[in-house]
Amino acid sequence: MEAHPHFSREEINSTVWEVPEKYTRLKQIGTGAYGSVCSAINEKTKEKVAIKKLHRPFQSEIFAKRAYRELRLLKHMKHENVIGLLDVFTPASSLDEIQDFYLVMPYMFTDLSKVRGHLSEDKVQFLVYQMLCGLRYIHRAGIIHRDLKPGNLAVNQDCELKILDFGLARSTDAEMTGYVVTRWYRAPEVILNWMHYTQTGKTIVAVTYFYLRLCCNCNCLSCENSTYRDVFLLAMAYLTMDQLTQIMKVTGVPGPEFIQKLDSLEAKNYIKALPRYPRKDFSTLFPRASAKGIDLLEKMLVLDGDERPTAELALEHPYFDSLREPDDFPEPTPYDDSP
């Protein structure tokens, strides 16, 4: 098969890429269940970009809807801490011939799942601030990300951060289940589907757990006891019930007022049966953390979602006084999820 005029064709790691000739020096930088990503150079602008090829996006209705949703959401995003869309193309010359299409986005050096080595608290503070700025924008647009995790948080060498991958995102008006979020980063209420899935605080907990994991693993805010080092990242070795128990060993088991709010009888009975673990002293667990950082963590790790701050409220915390700028808070156009 010959390439479409003005397109070049090459095979990269057993995947055929057919892209406009202006995109050169393709190199695979990532792959997943839904697509592969290559870096490339736009010879017209001389900028480095990331090109995502979706894996067989029209093989089923579910895949097609996911691809369509991701395309629409990327087009909607206009915030420096949220990935946006630079270009979209297909090598097909007619609608009937479309089998593949490609999304072109800004190139980012790496993602936070690959971060290694020491990070100072001011860098961790800056990363968390940017995550919250991006989340505030996403939430105010009426969108819930639903898969916030280190692999979907891209960074450059100067610690600039962008939230990636909106394939699982939904409008806040949509009916949703909590089980799509990658297990390690589920909020406690999502683990057992305790409450209605709304935007208030759900991804905030995921951010906080990641923040704790980053601090511990990078020895920025060292954990006093290795027992707690990965308490919020229990991976697949634990069932979700075990994960929740480990979380509550640090955050404390909630009281009867919170239990009454739960929708699930199973969740109520589960929490009632737990030993009365007290809340750990975060200043002991994280002795190198600043007082303001500890205060923010404590507020963001309140198990009751009604009491936990949203991204917008968290950004008002004194911990971010040195970073807060009006330009970081643009108002998004509300996202319209209608076909």
Side-chain angles (χ1 to χ4, degrees), residues 86 102 111 148 151 155 186 196 232 259 270 274 316-317 333:
L86 300 176
Y102 301 75
D111 65 67
L148 196 70
V155 288
R186 288 177 185 158
H196 297 298
F232 301 109
I259 294 173
Y270 168 72
L274 286 174
E316 296 175 5
H317 193 276
T333 303

Side-chain angles (χ1 to χ4, degrees), residues 82-151:
V82 184
I83 202 71
L85 190 66
L86 300 176
D87 191 12
V88 58
F89 62 82
T90 176
S93 56
S94 70
L95 189 61
D96 293 336
E97 295 178 2
I98 294 179
Q99 296 294 324
D100 300 306
F101 70 90
Y102 301 75
L103 307 173
V104 184
M105 295 163 282
Y107 172 80
M108 302 293 286
F109 179 70
T110 189
D111 65 67
L112 286 174
S113 70
K114 301 180 179 69
V115 169
R116 297 291 182 272
H118 177 77
L119 286 179
S120 60
E121 183 172 7
D122 62 329
K123 287 184 178 178
V124 174
Q125 178 191 37
F126 185 44
L127 291 172
V128 176
Y129 174 75
Q130 292 178 89
M131 283 186 266
L132 292 173
C133 286
L135 282 171
R136 175 194 176 276
Y137 178 88
I138 292 168
H139 289 171
R140 288 184 72 90
I143 298 163
I144 301 177
H145 188 280
R146 300 208 306 167
D147 197 20
L148 196 70
K149 59 185 179 180

Side-chain angles (χ1 to χ4, degrees), residues 144 187 189-190 196-206 305 308:
I144 301 177
E189 64 266 37
V190 177
H196 297 298
Y197 198 132
T198 64
Q199 66 177 261
T200 305
K202 302 306 178 275
T203 44
I204 298 302
V205 175
R308 192 186 313 134

Side-chain angles (χ1 to χ4, degrees), residues 261-281:
K261 295 182 180 182
L262 304 181
D263 292 338
S264 166
L265 179 61
E266 291 81 4
K268 289 182 179 182
N269 291 335
Y270 168 72
I271 295 180
K272 286 178 182 178
L274 286 174
R276 297 294 95 186
Y277 299 119
R279 185 182 183 89
K280 297 293 183 183
D281 182 348

Side-chain angles (χ1 to χ4, degrees), residues 216-217 222-231 285:
C216 292
N217 286 2
S222 66
C223 293
E224 189 75 13
N225 187 327
S226 62
T227 303
Y228 305 116
R229 185 163 299 142
D230 291 319
V231 71
L285 292 180

Side-chain angles (χ1 to χ4, degrees), residues 144-249:
I144 301 177
H145 188 280
R146 300 208 306 167
D147 197 20
L148 196 70
K149 59 185 179 180
N152 286 338
L153 297 168
V155 288
N156 282 333
Q157 293 95 323
D158 54 5
C159 279
E160 289 184 351
L161 177 146
K162 291 183 186 291
I163 298 172
L164 308 177
D165 198 344
F166 286 85
L168 296 177
R170 295 291 188 277
S171 164
T172 53
D173 295 330
E175 184 177 344
M176 294 178 289
T177 173
Y179 287 89
V180 298
V181 181
T182 301
R183 178 184 294 173
W184 299 2
Y185 303 98
R186 288 177 185 158
E189 64 266 37
V190 177
I191 291 174
L192 292 180
N193 207 19
W194 286 350
M195 298 176 178
H196 297 298
Y197 198 132
T198 64
Q199 66 177 261
T200 305
K202 302 306 178 275
T203 44
I204 298 302
V205 175
V207 169
T208 308
Y209 291 166
F210 166 67
Y211 176 42
L212 293 174
R213 182 249 183 180
L214 179 68
C215 292
C216 292
N217 286 2
C218 296
N219 298 315
C220 169
L221 309 175
S222 66
C223 293
E224 189 75 13
N225 187 327
S226 62
T227 303
Y228 305 116
R229 185 163 299 142
D230 291 319
V231 71
F232 301 109
L233 187 63
L234 297 170
M236 297 179 189
Y238 291 97
L239 298 174
T240 53
M241 296 286 245
D242 293 322
Q243 180 180 352
L244 191 58
T245 301
Q246 296 301 317
I247 288 171
M248 289 187 182
K249 284 181 179 179

